[in-house]
Amino acid sequence: MAAKEFDIPKLPTYIEIPELNHGVMDGDGPFKSVEEFQKPLGFPGEKIDNWQEVAIAKMGELKSKYRSVQVFLDSCVKCGACTDKCHYFLGSSDPKNMPVARQDLFRSVYRRHFTFAGKYFPKLVGAKELDDDMLDDWYNYFHQCSQCRRCSVFCPYGIDTAEISMAAREILDTVGVGQKYCNQILGKALTVGNNLGLPEPALRDTLIDLEEEVEEDFGAPVKYPLDVKGAEILLITPSADFFAEPHIDGLIGYGKVFYQDGVSWTMSSYASEGANFGMFIGSYDIMRKAALRIRKAALDLEVSRVMVGECGHAWRVAYSFWNTLSGVGAGAQSSDEHAMRLQKQLDDRYPQPQHIIEYTHDLIQRGKLNFDKSENDDRTVTFHDSCNVARATNMGGIEGGQFILPRDVIKAVCNNYVDMERSTIKESTFCCGGGGGLLTDDLMEIRVKGAMPRMQALKEVEKNEGVNTLAAICAICKSQFSKVLPKFDFDPYMIVSVHQLVSAAIILDKPQTTNSSPDGQTDAEEPVIEAEETAETE
Amino acid sequence: MSTISIIFTALFYISLFIFIVGMGRKIYQFSVTPAPLKIPTAPTPLTQTGVVFRMIREVTLFESLFRSNKWIWLFGFLFHFGLLLVLVRHLRYFIPGDLPEIFLLMQPFKYAAFAMVIGLGGLLVRRIFVPRIRYISAPSDYLMLLMLIIIGVSGVIMTFTNNHTDVIMVKAFASGLVTFDWANLPTETHFLVHLFLVFVLLAIFPISKLLHVPGVFFSPTRNQVDDARKKRHISPWALKQEKEHAVKLDQTLGKDE
Ligand code: HEM
Ligand code: SF4
Ligand code: SF4
């Protein structure tokens, strides 16, 4: 692949708003999808003949199905407050990467076709036709948005460019102009069960290897069970956790926490993926299809809890959308058979779904885990709030819990923790630069440029506080940082999973006999045994 | 009645009609369009009360804008707050007969016009001179500000210079519009311009970015409660699809479980 040469941005001492550089990020966008990947998702294999007509009709459909799209298209006053909030603009200086300008690629077409002023006075209100050039711009610039929603925090009306870029990508798919990276992955996730296309036997082998390795390294028979019927917890984690560095150290950590708690848990080979790229391409139906696999796994395995591993957008989909899409949650009406079937099975004393951080945090609070914090004394840690976790979810049911809990967990296992600059964390966090379906080599330029603001804040704490470890709870962030850290003169291995830090410090003694339920549910012993048997006999 | 008075009386009703029907349709459209997914943006309230307070802060203080950009906030706030006071003060013309006591207290509100014009001026200067904002501006964005500035300045001229209009006559005209007891209006140019542009503003309200007024209340990222795990939130179209298993992906990806 002939990657385009580009300059890696210099890290300034503080983030400046760049001068506009028109067209610097102009281009063909990421690799286009082909028939093989389009067809299974129900999209045309190539750009269809009457694409304009179909695209406009789809736009009409989407704005009538999504209030966000309709309201956001109508409400922007072009105040400019969001213009300097996007990391891709700050890093690339291309004005079309300013959130409102990105929306305007879409809005100008909306105005032309759906508003009085745009139909009769297009020049006056900046209404434009959806021609080939515009479609190219859509494809290019809507794949330079990581749907991180930082702009939405700062807009006086909460206008969320992510919603617009999802809608744009759905229209693009509908006319046959899909993105290869996302759609190829979705094909695997929806047929094999995970984004890697790792079939059940390979997954099982990987986990057995992992068990051996962990036992060798830590001297405790920590299990990584697969497809154990009747386990208490079903863990849904991004498939990167099964093999990628540093992700796998996080998975090792989850296993150790479960082991120490003595709870029975399992993963599923049918639903071995936490990531849900259906969100990135904006398709409700596809996102739902992926979510239904998890529902099926939960029903088939008869678990009473569904838990989610460290993955940013997975947690968004799980926390905010699963209840809607597939009934994994609580509070369905009794007449709602679809949701009730599952919700009756799930244990309502726990949040459903629950994040692994919430689980570990709760065990720490209840004094169930012991740590040797000195194991992490070689580290000075800072935490990267992943956008989807930070801006679209909650943890622990307390306001701002998604910021508090991960920090609490890190501080419980590390002695040295510092935060990055306030305007670059929590709800204002800067995206890693690789989210939203951009984590592909053909988008390396925008990924590196978009990482600049995060790298700048990191550089500051590295210089001033001696930070040498960047912890995150998102598979995409971890992969992206591994790639871009060295480009900004950081050690690529400084990025770790939060549960890797937990893993390093946790003291493994015999699993406690009492079970983790708040009021001591006692029937969990058996599945543990069953878990071990299944893992060995198959 | 003079021809000009008849024209302006007619224009008032026409623009008011467009405003009411247009806004009614738009608000109806916003309210019937479902929000199929929970998408509130942090910092997110976990309760309905929290959402109400968030919305109040957004509408009265422009909270998000304040965090975002102090200059835009300052000018925007001066303009809107000024406009609010000016509008309240204008009620005096439309209320027939003697005014309730509290209108005396509103006398100082006339200075709000300066806040309004200064705010608008600041916004216009930014729109022209900040390259990022110039880049995102269409002609209509400048025109909107110009129009409001002309309205504001012509108002200031009438209130604070020797070019006063006949306020008694204005009152008779305006309250006549309300009571359908139509009267002549003063015909100084700056008053007619002032009035005409207000009518234009009313008429374009439902077809322009002034839709931010209803929009802010309907914005799902701001008006949703963060309780997705506790309550099943599902839109009518999604529920229908779920009940009928009507997802089109069945042929390629198999039936739902
Ligand atoms: C619920 C009431 C309202 C709220 C919460 C609100 C809020 C805002 C905010 C936050 C902005 C962006 C900042 C700025 O540029 O000033 C804005 C802009 C604007 N508002 Fe409002 N507004 C309201 C009512 C009105 C009304 C009644 C008008 C009638 C003329 C109006 C006209 C404008 C205009 C013209 C702009 C654009 C300013 C520019 O071009 O920079 N607003 N509004
Ligand atoms: S902050 Fe919101 S209203 Fe202002 S320009 Fe950006 S999207 Fe439009
Ligand atoms: S959602 Fe994030 S990436 Fe997209 S325009 Fe907004 S700030 Fe930029």
Side-chain angles (χ1 to χ4, degrees):
Chain A
M1 183 197 60
K4 191 173 140 199
E5 291 287 319
F6 61 91
D7 293 332
I8 291 161
K10 293 251 169 345
L11 292 185
T13 23
Y14 60 94
I15 290 171
E16 293 159 28
I17 303 169
E19 306 243 334
L20 305 187
N21 271 312
H22 297 267
V24 276
M25 290 312 295
D26 220 355
D28 299 335
F31 294 157
K32 293 216 170 83
S33 181
V34 289
E35 177 136 14
E36 177 193 355
F37 309 130
Q38 291 286 91
K39 274 275 139 71
L41 304 180
F43 300 131
E46 55 184 42
K47 192 164 163 187
I48 54 178
D49 290 335
N50 60 338
W51 63 270
Q52 268 164 317
E53 212 179 301
V54 173
I56 300 302
K58 188 74 188 173
M59 185 182 272
E61 182 198 324
L62 289 178
K63 78 180 191 63
S64 72
K65 281 168 100 176
Y66 291 89
R67 182 185 288 170
S68 54
V69 174
Q70 179 68 58
V71 170
F72 294 164
L73 287 175
D74 280 331
S75 302
C76 174
V77 295
K78 310 294 172 77
C79 69
C82 61
T83 51
D84 56 350
K85 301 298 183 278
C86 179
H87 51 291
Y88 292 121
F89 171 68
L90 294 172
S92 75
S93 72
D94 188 322
K96 284 183 182 157
N97 276 326
M98 301 189 297
V100 46
R102 198 188 309 284
Q103 296 159 26
D104 274 353
L105 295 172
F106 195 94
R107 185 178 287 113
S108 55
V109 176
Y110 161 74
R111 286 197 170 155
R112 183 78 184 100
H113 287 272
F114 295 97
T115 69
F116 176 84
K119 275 182 195 153
Y120 301 104
F121 310 98
K123 285 254 158 54
L124 180 70
V125 295
K128 296 204 184 104
E129 205 39 80
L130 182 58
D131 52 17
D132 284 293
D133 283 346
M134 181 60 95
L135 198 80
D136 290 347
D137 259 3
W138 275 29
Y139 187 73
N140 187 34
Y141 288 102
F142 285 118
H143 288 103
Q144 296 186 21
C145 169
S146 57
Q147 306 175 342
C148 77
R149 314 178 82 221
R150 190 168 194 267
C151 44
S152 169
V153 170
F154 291 101
C155 169
Y157 321 112
I159 294 177
D160 183 0
T161 316
E163 291 290 305
I164 305 295
S165 84
M166 287 170 191
R169 290 188 196 178
E170 182 159 24
I171 294 174
L172 286 165
D173 269 326
T174 309
V175 300
V177 186
Q179 185 211 17
K180 181 178 166 211
Y181 173 68
C182 281
N183 291 358
Q184 180 178 19
I185 278 182
L186 274 164
K188 288 187 244 172
L190 292 171
T191 50
V192 185
N194 58 62
N195 290 357
L196 304 170
L198 208 61
E200 190 262 355
L203 182 56
R204 192 172 295 279
D205 285 349
T206 309
L207 294 174
I208 289 172
D209 288 350
L210 190 65
E211 286 176 355
E212 285 169 7
E213 208 179 293
V214 172
E215 177 141 22
E216 219 167 89
D217 290 354
F218 304 99
V222 178
K223 295 292 169 208
Y224 294 88
L226 190 63
D227 296 335
V228 180
K229 202 166 172 168
E232 182 176 336
I233 296 173
L234 168 65
L235 177 76
I236 301 293
T237 203
S239 57
D241 281 359
F242 300 132
F243 83 108
E245 287 286 348
H247 312 60
I248 194 162
D249 297 304
L251 177 62
I252 293 174
Y254 318 151
K256 287 176 158 184
V257 175
F258 288 133
Y259 171 86
Q260 192 57 23
D261 184 29
V263 71
S264 67
W265 68 288
T266 184
M267 291 174 278
S268 154
S269 61
Y270 177 76
S272 45
E273 183 58 71
N276 189 333
F277 280 28
M279 182 175 94
F280 296 158
I281 66 167
S283 166
Y284 187 97
D285 292 349
I286 292 174
M287 182 162 73
R288 174 167 175 272
K289 205 79 185 168
L292 285 177
R293 290 184 82 91
I294 291 148
R295 170 190 165 86
K296 181 167 159 51
L299 286 168
D300 289 352
L301 295 172
E302 295 170 8
V303 296
S304 59
R305 304 167 68 178
V306 183
M307 200 173 287
V308 180
E310 295 184 6
C311 180
H313 80 280
W315 182 236
R316 178 178 190 194
V317 175
Y319 176 89
S320 294
F321 304 161
W322 272 0
N323 204 353
T324 302
L325 297 171
S326 60
V328 179
Q333 285 167 347
S334 49
S335 59
D336 181 350
E337 282 168 40
H338 180 77
M340 276 317 275
R341 209 178 129 210
L342 181 62
Q343 298 194 354
K344 265 194 275 185
Q345 179 189 316
L346 297 178
D347 188 341
D348 61 12
R349 291 169 306 171
Y350 300 97
Q352 306 283 1
Q354 189 175 28
H355 195 282
I356 186 81
I357 289 280
E358 291 181 300
Y359 170 72
T360 302
H361 186 264
D362 175 59
L363 292 179
I364 294 172
Q365 296 273 297
R366 291 194 283 120
K368 285 255 189 175
L369 305 178
N370 293 315
F371 300 106
D372 175 5
K373 290 168 94 168
S374 69
E375 289 288 340
N376 285 317
D377 272 355
D378 54 334
R379 299 181 181 279
T380 301
V381 183
T382 193
F383 179 65
H384 165 73
D385 289 282
S386 300
C387 347
N388 275 301
V389 176
R391 284 187 274 267
T393 74
N394 182 271
M395 285 182 196
I398 48 172
E399 244 162 73
Q402 72 272 36
F403 313 129
I404 300 166
L405 268 61
R407 285 175 172 77
D408 277 358
V409 169
I410 297 175
K411 286 177 194 165
V413 300
C414 297
N415 283 313
N416 315 313
Y417 178 81
V418 280
D419 263 324
M420 288 179 275
E421 214 262 306
R422 179 61 181 89
S423 64
T424 75
I425 58 170
K426 302 191 176 171
E427 77 286 342
S428 310
T429 187
F430 274 117
C431 173
C432 64
L438 309 195
L439 193 73
T440 167
D441 283 349
D442 40 317
L443 286 171
M444 194 49 88
E445 177 175 4
I446 195 68
R447 283 171 56 189
V448 171
K449 291 184 171 173
M452 187 279 281
R454 171 43 78 228
M455 295 292 110
Q456 190 277 334
L458 183 63
K459 199 52 115 189
E460 213 172 277
V461 285
E462 184 195 51
K463 262 202 319 243
N464 301 340
E465 316 270 355
V467 164
N468 62 5
T469 301
L470 176 64
I473 47 172
C474 169
I476 288 178
C477 294
K478 293 171 200 170
S479 303
Q480 158 79 353
F481 284 137
S482 304
K483 272 266 167 72
V484 300
L485 279 167
K487 305 234 190 290
F488 294 91
D489 296 327
F490 290 103
D491 172 10
Y493 298 105
M494 77 185 287
I495 170 73
V496 299
S497 303
V498 168
H499 273 79
Q500 176 176 347
L501 300 172
V502 173
S503 170
I506 194 168
I507 296 170
L508 295 182
D509 29 43
K510 208 158 55 68
Q512 292 149 2
T513 40
T514 48
N515 163 286
S516 72
S517 338
D519 58 356
Q521 209 185 11
T522 47
D523 55 1
E525 219 76 348
E526 265 173 85
V528 178
I529 298 159
E530 195 187 322
E532 279 160 12
E533 276 169 5
T534 336
E536 276 156 18
T537 49
E538 273 177 38
Chain B
M1 259 169 73
S2 65
T3 321
I4 192 95
S5 303
I6 294 173
I7 293 175
F8 270 75
T9 304
L11 280 179
F12 170 78
Y13 289 114
I14 293 169
S15 54
L16 188 69
F17 178 79
I18 298 176
F19 174 81
I20 291 173
V21 172
M23 289 304 276
R25 283 181 48 170
K26 217 55 207 178
I27 290 172
Y28 176 75
Q29 182 194 37
F30 285 175
S31 62
V32 296
T33 307
L37 294 165
K38 281 274 187 178
I39 57 167
T41 322
T44 329
L46 301 173
T47 61
Q48 186 62 45
T49 327
V51 166
V52 170
F53 279 109
R54 175 185 215 177
M55 194 56 85
I56 290 175
R57 291 197 306 274
E58 286 294 1
V59 174
T60 57
L61 304 174
F62 301 177
E63 185 184 39
S64 299
L65 185 61
F66 183 77
R67 261 190 295 178
S68 187
N69 190 310
K70 300 290 187 281
W71 283 113
I72 304 177
W73 180 84
L74 177 70
F75 293 131
F77 196 78
L78 277 175
F79 155 50
H80 284 86
F81 196 59
L83 176 69
L84 178 71
L85 297 186
V86 167
L87 284 179
V88 170
R89 193 168 169 274
H90 274 69
L91 284 178
R92 66 179 57 232
Y93 302 119
F94 292 90
I95 297 176
D98 288 338
L99 291 171
E101 287 278 315
I102 60 158
F103 275 84
L104 281 178
L105 295 175
M106 287 182 199
Q107 207 45 27
F109 283 12
K110 63 181 177 187
Y111 297 103
F114 290 107
M116 180 177 154
V117 173
I118 292 169
L120 286 165
L123 291 171
L124 184 62
V125 166
R126 283 186 63 82
R127 203 172 278 293
I128 295 170
F129 292 105
V130 177
R132 282 175 290 129
I133 305 186
R134 190 167 62 230
Y135 180 88
I136 58 166
S137 301
S140 56
D141 297 312
Y142 297 101
L143 279 180
M144 182 73 77
L145 285 173
L146 274 179
M147 200 161 77
L148 285 160
I149 289 175
I150 297 173
I151 294 174
V153 170
S154 55
V156 167
I157 290 174
M158 287 184 281
T159 318
F160 294 99
T161 71
N162 284 332
N163 300 307
H164 294 290
T165 28
D166 184 344
V167 183
I168 311 289
M169 219 174 155
V170 173
K171 165 118 191 180
F173 172 75
S175 58
L177 294 172
V178 178
T179 55
F180 301 101
D181 181 13
W182 301 312
N184 279 325
L185 83 173
T187 52
E188 288 94 342
T189 319
H190 48 275
F191 175 68
L192 293 183
V193 168
H194 185 81
L195 206 57
F196 180 74
L197 290 181
V198 172
F199 294 163
V200 173
L201 198 66
L202 271 183
I204 63 170
F205 218 102
I207 55 166
S208 68
K209 66 182 186 178
L210 296 176
L211 286 171
H212 68 287
V213 179
V216 63
F217 298 100
F218 283 100
S219 172
T221 53
R222 291 289 183 268
N223 74 8
Q224 287 185 339
V225 185
D226 184 10
D227 61 358
R229 279 194 294 193
K230 293 204 195 109
K231 251 197 234 149
R232 185 159 202 238
H233 166 97
I234 188 161
S235 67
W237 62 259
L239 192 62
K240 182 159 176 281
Q241 224 170 254
E242 183 178 291
K243 287 231 165 87
E244 295 169 4
H245 292 272
V247 179
K248 296 164 294 263
L249 299 167
D250 285 357
Q251 300 92 18
T252 50
L253 294 167
K255 284 240 175 298
D256 296 348
E257 40 83 32

